[in-house]
Amino acid sequence: MILDFFMPRKPTDDAYIESFNGSFRDERLNTNWFLSLEDARGKIEAWRTEYNTFRPHSFLGGLTPQQMCENNRIKSGFSTLTVS
């Protein structure tokens, strides 16, 4: 049996994820007190919704992730609606 361990990663290995983690930490975790698990879930969900639907991202050319998905869906001709 051979044990195969993952190598420790540097933050520069995945800059997109590190950028997200930094934003999440600075904007939500460091600025809020969570009174319970339910309170934390509610506050984090509100931040996630804002992050994905209202905030433009420079990586996406000034679009929100939701706008980018809608633009790609229109260009590709795919839709999330199913026809029965």
Side-chain angles (χ1 to χ4, degrees), residues 2-14:
I2 298 173
L3 292 177
D4 187 18
F5 294 100
F6 289 104
M7 295 296 295
R9 298 187 69 190
K10 295 180 278 184
T12 55
D13 288 345
D14 196 342

Side-chain angles (χ1 to χ4, degrees), residues 5-78:
F5 294 100
F6 289 104
M7 295 296 295
R9 298 187 69 190
K10 295 180 278 184
T12 55
D13 288 345
D14 196 342
Y16 176 74
I17 295 299
E18 291 302 320
S19 175
F20 171 81
N21 288 344
S23 295
F24 183 67
R25 191 178 316 104
D26 292 342
E27 296 173 19
R28 188 53 49 194
L29 299 180
N30 292 343
T31 59
N32 285 281
W33 286 89
F34 301 115
L35 304 175
S36 65
L37 185 56
E38 293 78 26
D39 181 45
R41 286 180 178 149
K43 288 177 179 176
I44 290 169
E45 179 61 21
W47 182 86
R48 187 191 67 79
T49 300
E50 176 191 343
Y51 187 85
N52 287 326
T53 58
F54 299 111
R55 290 181 41 184
H57 296 253
S58 58
F59 180 76
L60 300 176
L63 297 174
T64 66
Q66 183 178 18
Q67 290 170 325
M68 181 62 107
C69 288
E70 289 169 0
N71 288 350
N72 287 336
R73 196 174 307 126
I74 290 167
K75 287 179 187 175
S76 67
F78 289 107

